[in-house]
Amino acid sequence: MKRSRGNANGDANRPAKAQAKYVIIGAGIHGLSTAWHLASELRASGRGGGRDILIIDKTGIGGGASGIACGVIRNNYFQPAMRELMAHSVAVWESDAAGFSYHPVGYLQISHEAMREDVASIHEQQRAIGYDSTFVEGARASHAYMRRIFDDWQARGITSVLHEHRGGYANNMASLRRLWARAAAEGVRLRTGALHQGFERDASGAVTAVVTDQGSIACERVVVATGPWVQRQWAMLDLPTVTRVRRPDGARPDGAHPDGALHEVTTWSYWALQEGTLDVDPGTLTDNAGRLPPVVHVDTDEPLRDERGLVTGGPWGIYYKPDFHFGGVQGGAMPYEIEKPGSEVAVDPYGPLSPDFVVGEDFYRLWTAALAFCQRRFEGRNHLMKRGPSGGIGSFTPDSFPVFDTFADNVYFIADSNHGYKMIGVGALVAKELMGRPQALLEPFRYRRFAEGRLHPTSHSPFPWS
């Protein structure tokens, strides 16, 4: 038997091994959703049940990225595979809206001219899969459409609006607690405060046990759902730190990598997320009828200014919504890439506890100026920005889209590339794959796509995950 890197040294005084047929590492949106759906699949098939599943987490439910997510749920993707996968996830949110604390208010993608063609394509493909949305083109028509929602709308340089009538946002911790309740009702076990330290593997390389600081857990299958910490498990299995990527034929030339050529890209990179809350009554942001409005997402190349002068020359983008859980108007702006090798990025302490990756005055200034750029009601309110620590980091794949795949024979990675929280339905699909039924919706996200050149198309959005 061989041990993976990161394992504890020796067996002396090690407690007797616990056992679970399935061990899920991570108690966030993916781990909890997978546990719930897998337990249901096992019970329905007569092949077991929730007692065969153990979730471990070094802190507890929602201790990572899912616990600080702003909760936006959308299907605004230029990539057909992402769009179909998100339509599936939105249906899962809708299946228990009250339980998941989900608010189906819709989603507005408001864009400048460089994005018009991309957004038009999104709308056409949403129509093709029966996903309800309205597309408005032209500066005058777009402004009029937005004025029918907000009478103080004043953003300039907008030439299209895509209004998704499904989607919205959810209270992140309430939805995670609901997922855990569903999993626990099926008999799933949860061990918190258990730090994953490594794997025990047999001669073929398959994992036979998950090693934690509380002892080893013998198992048949492992699901890695650790979000920003995914690089740890990846390294423990000696998976490649550099990925060979083939440029697909017909890709936009960049001079250095001609069509069809293989080049090497760091497997994991990190981006710092920028989110915060304006400390106002959430009811400050209602539509013209006094209702909760759709989530607002604006991408533009107009110069952004405030009373101090130029903030940014563009392009820039923000999203925002009223949120009673966060206690104000909450949202974010474009993330920024952390310019150091992934292996050198300190993921812990995570989120608001990080000394390095929390938002600061540059974000506060941009976000409040952008709110005022969009709606008159936010003018002169930059001093109301909550200054408490917020933000986090996300772990991104070479093309910024997820990897859902099996490695080392029996370890399933849910590497969401920071698309995570909204993708509640991925767990249902992964559960079916664990039962031996491959899922077409997950096929475009296999790791081999990089070497085969089957990359997802890129859009003109400033956001890496769009």
Side-chain angles (χ1 to χ4, degrees):
M1 178 184 294
K2 64 179 180 178
R3 295 178 180 274
S4 297
R5 289 185 300 163
N7 211 13
N9 293 321
D11 294 309
N13 302 317
R14 185 180 298 281
K17 278 183 186 173
Q19 292 188 341
K21 186 173 183 180
Y22 300 90
V23 173
I24 297 174
I25 307 172
I29 194 80
H30 293 311
L32 295 171
S33 179
T34 300
W36 164 39
H37 287 101
L38 178 57
S40 178
E41 291 276 352
L42 289 167
R43 173 175 50 78
S45 68
R47 293 165 57 182
R51 295 300 298 174
D52 296 312
I53 305 167
L54 174 65
I55 306 171
I56 64 170
D57 196 284
K58 65 188 180 71
T59 50
I61 292 172
S66 296
I68 63 170
C70 75
V72 171
I73 295 152
R74 62 180 174 89
N75 195 8
N76 179 239
Y77 281 99
F78 180 65
Q79 300 73 25
M82 287 296 295
R83 194 159 44 249
E84 293 182 8
L85 185 58
M86 275 312 307
H88 172 269
S89 280
V90 170
V92 174
W93 285 108
E94 294 169 342
S95 71
D96 186 12
F100 292 137
S101 191
Y102 168 57
H103 306 283
V105 295
Y107 183 91
L108 291 162
Q109 171 64 57
I110 304 157
S111 310
H112 59 114
E113 184 61 24
M115 292 179 60
R116 192 204 295 212
E117 186 176 332
D118 290 349
V119 179
S121 174
I122 294 172
H123 173 62
E124 287 302 315
Q125 293 182 57
Q126 285 180 343
R127 287 179 59 189
I129 63 173
Y131 195 86
D132 187 23
S133 63
T134 297
F135 184 56
V136 181
E137 291 190 87
R140 183 174 297 179
S142 297
H143 186 77
Y145 190 87
M146 290 305 302
R147 277 293 183 97
R148 289 196 291 272
I149 299 172
F150 302 116
D151 57 15
D152 65 337
W153 184 258
Q154 57 187 16
R156 303 177 304 279
I158 301 302
T159 63
S160 69
V161 176
L162 177 63
H163 186 175
E164 298 181 8
H165 301 293
R166 296 170 67 186
Y169 63 96
N171 177 326
N172 55 347
M173 288 306 297
S175 58
L176 295 178
R177 286 192 291 267
R178 178 63 165 179
L179 281 173
W180 168 237
R182 302 291 287 267
E186 293 279 357
V188 173
R189 293 170 288 156
L190 171 66
R191 182 183 295 182
T192 59
L195 176 64
H196 177 227
Q197 295 182 323
F199 298 104
E200 294 178 7
R201 302 167 71 182
D202 64 19
S204 71
V207 168
T208 58
V210 171
V211 181
T212 78
D213 60 349
Q214 298 179 8
S216 295
I217 307 160
C219 59
E220 296 178 19
R221 297 292 301 268
V222 179
V223 177
V224 174
T226 53
W229 290 270
V230 67
Q231 185 174 239
R232 292 189 71 245
Q233 286 76 31
W234 191 266
M236 289 173 184
L237 293 174
D238 298 313
L239 295 171
T241 58
V242 172
T243 294
R244 301 187 75 193
V245 180
R246 185 181 301 279
R247 286 182 58 82
D249 292 340
R252 297 171 185 166
D254 65 2
H257 307 108
D259 289 355
L262 276 167
H263 61 288
E264 293 186 339
V265 178
T266 301
T267 301
W268 301 109
S269 59
Y270 287 89
W271 290 62
L273 315 176
Q274 300 193 92
E275 295 181 341
T277 304
L278 192 69
D279 192 10
V280 296
D281 185 330
T284 299
L285 183 56
T286 56
D287 65 14
N288 291 342
R291 300 168 301 200
L292 289 177
V295 176
V296 179
H297 181 132
V298 179
D299 291 318
T300 183
D301 55 2
E302 286 283 309
L304 181 63
R305 295 182 171 84
D306 64 6
E307 67 281 357
R308 292 160 53 189
L310 183 68
V311 178
T312 180
W316 54 268
I318 68 162
Y319 50 93
Y320 60 98
K321 63 186 181 1
D323 199 300
F324 290 89
H325 170 65
F326 286 98
V329 172
Q330 192 269 348
M334 293 183 298
Y336 64 88
E337 189 169 7
I338 299 171
E339 295 182 349
K340 63 170 62 175
S343 59
E344 297 178 13
V345 175
V347 181
D348 287 310
Y350 186 72
L353 299 178
S354 170
D356 302 314
F357 306 120
V358 293
V359 298
E361 291 301 323
D362 288 346
F363 166 75
Y364 299 144
R365 184 184 179 199
L366 183 146
W367 200 63
T368 54
L371 288 175
F373 176 94
C374 293
Q375 294 187 251
R376 189 170 56 253
R377 72 190 72 183
F378 294 119
E379 292 179 348
R381 297 201 171 194
N382 56 338
H383 63 288
L384 296 177
M385 195 73 195
K386 290 185 179 181
R387 257 45 181 200
S390 65
I393 62 175
S395 181
F396 286 75
T397 65
D399 66 356
S400 297
F401 292 101
V403 167
F404 306 124
D405 211 343
T406 298
F407 300 84
D409 292 338
N410 63 346
V411 182
Y412 197 109
F413 273 77
I414 303 177
D416 61 32
S417 200
N418 209 70
H419 297 267
Y421 178 80
K422 67 179 74 67
M423 304 175 82
I424 193 173
V426 165
L429 300 171
V430 170
K432 292 182 183 342
E433 296 213 317
L434 294 171
M435 298 291 288
R437 304 199 304 276
Q439 298 297 296
L441 288 177
L442 299 184
E443 184 60 30
F445 301 97
R446 308 305 187 200
Y447 182 70
R448 63 180 178 272
R449 73 177 185 268
F450 297 114
E452 295 174 355
R454 295 184 293 107
L455 305 182
H456 298 280
T458 56
S459 76
H460 290 87
S461 169
F463 287 80
W465 47 68
S466 296

